[in-house]
Amino acid sequence: MRASRNGGDNPAMLEDSIKAAARALSGAGQVMAFTGAGVSAESGVATFRGAGGLWEGQPVEQVATPEAFRRDPLRVWRFYEARRVQASTVRPNPAHETLARWQRRFPAFCLATQNVDGLHQAAGSREVLELHGGLWRVRCTACDRQREDRTVPLPELPPRCSACGAIERPDIVWFGEVLPTDILSAAAQAAAKAEVFVVVGTSAVVYPAAGLVEIAASAGATIIEVNPAASALAHLADIVLRGPAGELLPRIDATLEVS
Ligand code: BV8
Ligand code: ZN
């Protein structure tokens, strides 16, 4: 059990934890951020489990699967089309913007996200490791041809591959599917080298992505958790900031600048 400074809802303790987070970051050479749906919450994107995690009354885990797509590709495409439409109307929030700034500030900075909304890239983050794919890419189910398509709404559902005519799927990693090996291993290598590992807006229940926190913790990184609620891996956090990322990341950043 790591001693954790719990910046609970006591403002003085929260301020103390913000200072502790800034101190840990200010001298760090290798920093990594790992984000989930919570980092996009203040942009207006519904989190997975927060919104009851339901789509047409069904748990998302039953819609975001290869079986559901095989059974009813149109239904699964309607789920993703609805998220593409919503994602096209939202903007990055100060949490995304702070993480993009940190990429320029630290000698080595890696951002791995479970999100598929593209908001980190819209905020200016580069080389984002999209562990679970992206809403703006589609992939052919037959010839695997991948393309970016930001048309909203898509003219035809399901979209068809212009090379071979087969239907295309969202380039998303569904439950029961393996993550892109190159992306997962890049994230795991960065987690093993991180001096400070910031976990932002994730319930940390989905594996193997959540395993990145465990890799960083066992390699001795200082773990900072930014989340209004305790994630499943909060016990690994050295510094805990209980609150919204859009408010707390800029406050850490402002404290960094003066430290
Ligand atoms: C795989 C794409 C196996 C879909 C997603 C152990 C090892 C390996 C696999 C497993 C395992 N145990 C179980 C599994 C199976 C499964 C899994 O982990 N299930 C869970 C539910 C138990 N894992 C898989 O299926 C993975 N595949 O391992 O395949 C395999 C192995 C070999 C060969 C073949 C197969 C694939 C997982 C990927 C699934 N796809 N996304 C889509 O997006 O449409 S996962 C989905 O959940 C999203 O990516 C989402 O990002 C992710 C995690 O959720 P969070 O991002 O954390 O969001 P959540 O709503 O849960 O939490 C939001 C948090 O934000 C909360 O904590 C909240 O408090 C906080 N918050 C709210 N507001 C704010 C905030 N924080 C900060 N500021 C705020 N303002
Ligand atoms: Zn094709």
Side-chain angles (χ1 to χ4, degrees):
M1 177 72 163
R2 298 162 81 105
S4 83
R5 313 173 70 97
N6 188 338
D9 28 22
N10 165 332
M13 280 178 70
L14 186 55
E15 188 51 38
D16 178 37
S17 296
I18 287 171
K19 288 193 180 99
R23 267 194 307 279
L25 281 163
S26 59
Q30 313 257 6
V31 176
M32 180 162 180
F34 170 59
T35 66
V39 80
S40 297
E42 289 152 273
S43 296
V45 182
T47 59
F48 263 76
R49 288 152 193 92
L54 295 179
W55 164 258
E56 293 178 347
Q58 263 218 316
V60 165
E61 277 87 359
Q62 284 164 28
V63 179
T65 68
E67 294 73 30
F69 188 74
R70 255 194 301 282
R71 207 173 35 249
D72 187 348
L74 181 58
R75 181 160 186 275
V76 174
W77 258 113
R78 284 194 10 253
F79 170 55
Y80 284 97
E81 180 71 346
R83 291 175 62 199
R84 288 165 57 99
V85 168
Q86 208 236 355
S88 68
T89 63
V90 297
R91 301 293 312 137
N93 68 59
H96 298 107
E97 288 154 0
T98 302
L99 292 171
R101 215 173 14 262
W102 285 359
Q103 181 160 38
R104 300 187 289 272
R105 186 195 192 286
F106 292 104
F109 183 85
C110 173
L111 172 59
T113 187
Q114 300 168 93
N115 300 341
V116 296
D117 56 29
L119 286 177
H120 283 302
Q121 295 90 327
S125 289
R126 296 184 327 287
E127 291 146 49
V128 177
L129 298 177
E130 288 188 315
L131 299 161
H132 294 157
L135 271 179
W136 305 116
R137 286 191 308 279
V138 296
R139 193 172 81 225
C140 178
T141 54
C143 71
D144 221 26
R145 184 172 165 275
Q146 204 185 91
R147 63 188 177 87
E148 175 153 321
D149 188 330
R150 288 183 172 269
T151 326
V152 169
L154 283 165
E156 181 197 12
L157 284 185
R160 289 217 165 260
C161 170
S162 57
C164 76
I167 62 165
E168 292 170 312
R169 58 167 283 174
D171 188 31
I172 294 263
V173 179
W174 284 326
F175 288 95
E177 293 188 317
V178 289
L179 278 61
T181 33
D182 52 339
I183 291 177
L184 184 58
S185 56
Q189 283 166 42
K193 284 192 301 194
E195 294 162 72
V196 178
F197 188 96
V198 193
V199 188
V200 188
T202 181
S203 55
V205 297
V206 173
Y207 281 81
L212 295 169
V213 186
E214 294 161 333
I215 292 171
S218 50
T222 298
I223 308 290
I224 300 173
E225 172 162 284
V226 181
N227 190 327
S231 76
L233 296 176
H235 59 282
L236 295 179
D238 300 286
I239 301 168
V240 169
L241 301 173
R242 285 280 165 261
E247 177 207 319
L248 294 180
L249 288 186
R251 282 177 63 182
I252 299 172
D253 193 39
T255 312
L256 255 180
E257 288 322 314
V258 299
S259 58

